[in-house]
DNA sequence: TCCCGAAGTTCGATTTAAATG
DNA sequence: GCATTTAAATCGAACTTCGGG
């Protein structure tokens, strides 16, 4: 490898001068253009690349951000990751990707590894994260800018980016209601999942405002599970059971898209066509939603934006730290949008 | 931060001894257990963590692997990434994730960044990569173990992991044939995509062996596109056109799942029920395939295995380099499996 | 004082060579 | 010569200090 000393020797200047010139340090003002040119050209000729280990050792900076995903297989992750990546790229930061597999031990191990590598910030994608996995304490200790995506926090040392679940659910029922649906079945999220409560609240809030009656016998809860993909199975089973009760409903609002897919399968198997005989509504707008037929009407989370925003937040935090400013945690709640597609239509 | 010198001072030994003990270096044989114990306990007491920048500077190792994805939004990527992550985790390596967005300039920039960080190997996920983006040359120059996933190579400095496209396509038609289908429509991949040719070859090979006739009017090619998700639209349009010709077919074999989804949509819109009136077969088995209704019958690529295998290959390459062995590139071609689901059934 | 450049120190860990009894 | 320990050199860049014109 060619070092700064090689460039110094070849160009006839000292390594100090080379360093100043190549980094365009403040002192470079005083260095004559000829010198600069000579140094730059020999650097290029030798195709010199500074050793980042040495540089990082000195500067204590890694230009790296740790990204912790709680379950990579969750289709929610992919667009979020792209948003993060894109944002970091603009700032010449690189992400180190870790997948915690929803295991506490793995989380701890990875956190330690990332901190050892002096990542300058942490982005945690914790959408399908249960309250009982308490990781906030560990995260706070790290003292580097940290943001959680998909988990509401009032914490003032960890930032958060979430979708407005309440608003989303509100928009969802509103859509069904405006299509004339009055007998709506609801598949709520697992009780221990933090998204579940606000979404239900949004539904109740709309129901109250419009005098929509919610039949308790048309409400079911997904069981707790570590696996985001399990909600397909659960959605299928709960819908099957609900159909067996013979209690009529013209629309079904699922906790998320995965659940909605399960519900659609169950309805189809039972001979009820979607959307002709029953409308189905999801939440998230994962990739599969626009692909399947009928395309799923759903409440769209701006996942890529959320990733980009999270990256933006920690990047700002990094800059603040560099300038020794104290940056308070920021909490963003992004508005979802209804993506009206083919799985919903007027109640008949 | 607490350094090795702090541990040395506190424990009463020199930093040399501390280093030897904590790393369990060869010389540690000569160090009495008491000394070791004292050093280890003070290290723990001070919660000493070695500075990886310093260590890497000395050892020239980063314990990091660069992962370059050509398009993160391709649903193929997610399971592959999980396979990679899991394999690296076992070996205490960390992945740096980059998304090239199918842009040459971005590829070059990222490659440079990764090399600057002294990643010890490179894993390139190049499934939806067109031949005209020639990146092999750049990759070869890097001199570190490199593997490409999803692109066949005979190169002997870059390894490769691919699925057996020919076999997969063979299994696919075979499945349709065994269900009694004789009039099969084919949606082939874009000509410039490397996977297209072998898949078509597998189809022809089966057709020849069983005397299945392929009607050229039931064969269409996807147009070239940078975007893997575009094949949905293309699949939709091509199927629509094919239906308009009124040329009968009882089954449709798509280039990949995304294309198959487009085809299913077109069929449904045209009033042809899947699978009752037309069977549909995909290729890949992306997440959406088992979710939609009817669940898509498809040729399953072992994506997670492919990721894990790729990681295994470069890890072996890293070890070989350390021991100064010359490791030839390895080329693996994994067998796909038919995932028979609900979008195919007996020809009526 | 201003401009230009160099010598030497620092970052923190590893390793070589060597010094003790 | 052996067991035990360590001073000093090294990795490569960046910054502080200083000197000459």
């Amino acid at each position: 490898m060619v070092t700064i000393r090689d460039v110094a020797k070849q160009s006839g200047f000292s390594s100090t001068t080379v360093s100043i010139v190549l980094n365009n340090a403040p002192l470079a003002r005083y260095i004559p253009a000829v010198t600069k040119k000579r140094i730059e050209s020999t650097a290029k000729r030798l195709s010199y690349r500074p050793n980042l280990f040495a540089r990082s050792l000195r500067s204590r900076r890694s230009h790296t951000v740790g990204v912790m995903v709680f379950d990579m297989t969750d289709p929610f992750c992919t667009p979020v990751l792209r948003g993060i990546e894109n944002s970091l790229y603009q700032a010449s930061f690189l992400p180190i990707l870790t997948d915690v597999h929803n295991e506490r031990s793995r989380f701890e191990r990875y956190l330690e590894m990332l901190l050892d590598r002096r990542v300058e910030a942490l982005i945690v994608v914790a959408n399908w994260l249960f309250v009982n996995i308490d990781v906030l304490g560990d995260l706070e200790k790290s003292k580097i800018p940290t943001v959680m995506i998909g988990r509401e926090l009032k914490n003032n040392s960890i930032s958060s980016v979430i979708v407005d679940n309440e608003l989303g659910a509100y928009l969802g029922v509103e859509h069904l209601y405006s299509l004339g649906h009055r007998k709506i079945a609801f598949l709520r999220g697992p009780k221990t999942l933090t998204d579940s409560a606000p979404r239900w609240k949004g539904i109740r809030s709309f129901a109250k405002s419009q005098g929509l009656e919610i039949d308790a016998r048309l409400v079911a809860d997904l069981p707790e599970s570590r696996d985001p993909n399990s909600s397909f199975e659960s959605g299928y089973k709960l819908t099957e059971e609900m159909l067996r009760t013979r209690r009529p409903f013209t629309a079904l609002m699922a906790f998320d898209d995965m659940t909605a897919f399960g519900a659609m399968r169950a309805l189809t198997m039972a001979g009820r066509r979607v959307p002709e005989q029953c409308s189905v509504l999801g939440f998230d707008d994962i990739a599969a939603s626009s692909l399947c037929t009928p395309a799923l009407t759903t409440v769209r989370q701006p996942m890529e934006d959320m990733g980009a925003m999270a990256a933006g937040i920690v990047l700002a935090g990094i800059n603040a730290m560099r300038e020794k400013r104290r940056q308070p945690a920021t909490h963003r709640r992004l508005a979802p949008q209804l993506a009206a597609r083919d799985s919903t239509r007027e109640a008949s």
Side-chain angles (χ1 to χ4, degrees), chain A:
Chain A
M1 270 291 88
V2 30
T3 76
I4 197 172
R5 266 175 278 270
D6 297 322
V7 179
K9 210 161 286 175
Q10 289 287 318
S11 66
F13 294 95
S14 76
S15 59
T16 312
T17 312
V18 175
S19 173
I20 289 169
V21 169
L22 295 183
N23 294 306
N24 202 13
L27 281 174
R29 297 192 299 121
Y30 303 126
I31 293 178
V34 234
T35 306
K36 285 186 187 173
K37 211 149 270 172
R38 264 238 295 283
I39 289 177
E40 273 156 5
S41 77
T42 66
K44 177 169 278 180
R45 184 162 53 78
L46 302 181
S47 60
Y48 164 70
R49 303 248 92 206
N51 182 318
L52 294 192
F53 295 148
R55 180 177 281 180
S56 290
L57 175 57
R58 188 94 235 269
S59 66
R60 318 178 101 72
R61 299 200 54 188
S62 64
H63 268 278
T64 286
V65 168
V67 178
M68 304 184 90
V69 161
F70 267 79
D71 188 338
M72 183 79 197
T73 62
D74 187 336
F76 177 89
C77 288
T78 313
V80 170
L81 283 179
R82 178 166 260 233
I84 293 173
E85 179 269 344
N86 207 22
S87 225
L88 293 182
Y89 180 70
Q90 314 297 329
S92 293
F93 270 74
L94 247 23
I96 295 184
L97 177 66
T98 64
D99 180 353
V100 163
H101 293 209
N102 267 317
E103 288 167 23
R104 174 129 247 269
S105 65
R106 199 153 173 144
F107 167 81
E108 287 171 359
R109 176 86 202 288
Y110 265 139
L111 181 57
E112 203 171 50
M113 289 173 81
L114 291 173
L115 262 19
D116 276 351
R117 273 150 208 265
R118 301 286 199 282
V119 293
E120 299 190 39
L122 241 22
I123 300 177
V124 182
V125 184
N127 49 306
W128 192 260
L129 172 64
F130 290 93
V131 276
N132 51 347
I133 301 191
D134 177 43
V135 295
L136 262 51
D138 295 316
L139 252 20
E140 277 179 317
K141 273 184 278 183
S142 74
K143 302 291 178 204
I144 54 178
T146 301
V147 58
M148 274 187 109
I149 299 176
R151 186 85 134 69
E152 178 154 31
L153 298 176
K154 32 201 182 312
N155 194 299
N156 62 356
S157 68
I158 299 179
S159 300
S160 66
V161 174
I162 55 165
V163 73
D164 191 328
N165 282 302
E166 192 174 333
L167 172 59
Y170 188 100
L171 294 173
V173 233
E174 183 179 58
H175 171 73
L176 293 175
Y177 187 86
S178 73
L179 288 173
H181 294 283
R182 294 300 179 269
K183 293 188 180 313
I184 305 175
F186 296 95
L187 266 29
R188 295 193 295 195
K191 287 217 176 56
T192 45
L193 196 62
T194 51
D195 292 334
S196 303
R199 290 193 193 169
W200 184 240
K201 195 175 169 202
I203 290 168
R204 308 237 332 181
S205 139
F206 176 86
K208 198 170 175 190
S209 76
Q210 300 293 324
L212 170 69
E213 231 176 279
I214 296 178
D215 183 345
R217 283 161 299 190
L218 288 178
V219 176
D221 292 333
L222 296 182
E224 177 166 349
S225 160
R226 278 283 122 82
D227 177 14
N229 296 287
S230 74
S231 61
F232 176 86
E233 271 305 317
S234 307
Y236 181 84
K237 286 203 189 103
L238 291 178
T239 306
E240 232 184 359
E241 285 167 21
M242 210 167 264
L243 286 166
R244 260 203 296 273
T245 67
R246 307 215 142 272
R247 190 122 206 118
F249 57 92
T250 64
L252 183 149
M253 180 166 173
F255 172 65
D256 61 10
D257 289 354
M258 206 73 78
T259 313
F261 291 136
M264 284 173 80
R265 173 85 48 94
L267 288 163
T268 306
M269 298 296 267
R272 299 209 30 197
R273 304 195 58 191
V274 177
E276 292 83 352
Q277 296 168 281
C278 183
S279 289
V280 174
L281 182 88
F283 200 114
D284 281 352
D285 196 16
I286 60 178
S289 305
S290 53
L291 260 25
C292 64
T293 303
L296 185 67
T297 294
T298 190
V299 177
R300 174 165 226 282
Q301 296 205 44
M303 301 176 263
E304 196 163 331
D305 293 345
M306 291 167 77
M309 174 158 289
I313 289 175
V314 294
L315 251 14
I318 290 171
N319 284 330
M321 283 200 109
R322 270 218 330 242
E323 299 163 11
K324 285 168 186 168
R325 283 187 281 114
R326 251 263 157 285
Q327 176 105 330
T330 53
H331 300 284
R332 302 299 208 98
R333 185 197 307 264
L334 272 63
Q337 280 192 315
L338 189 90
R341 294 202 272 247
D342 309 325
S343 69
T344 52
R345 71 163 59 167
E346 279 86 18
S348 52

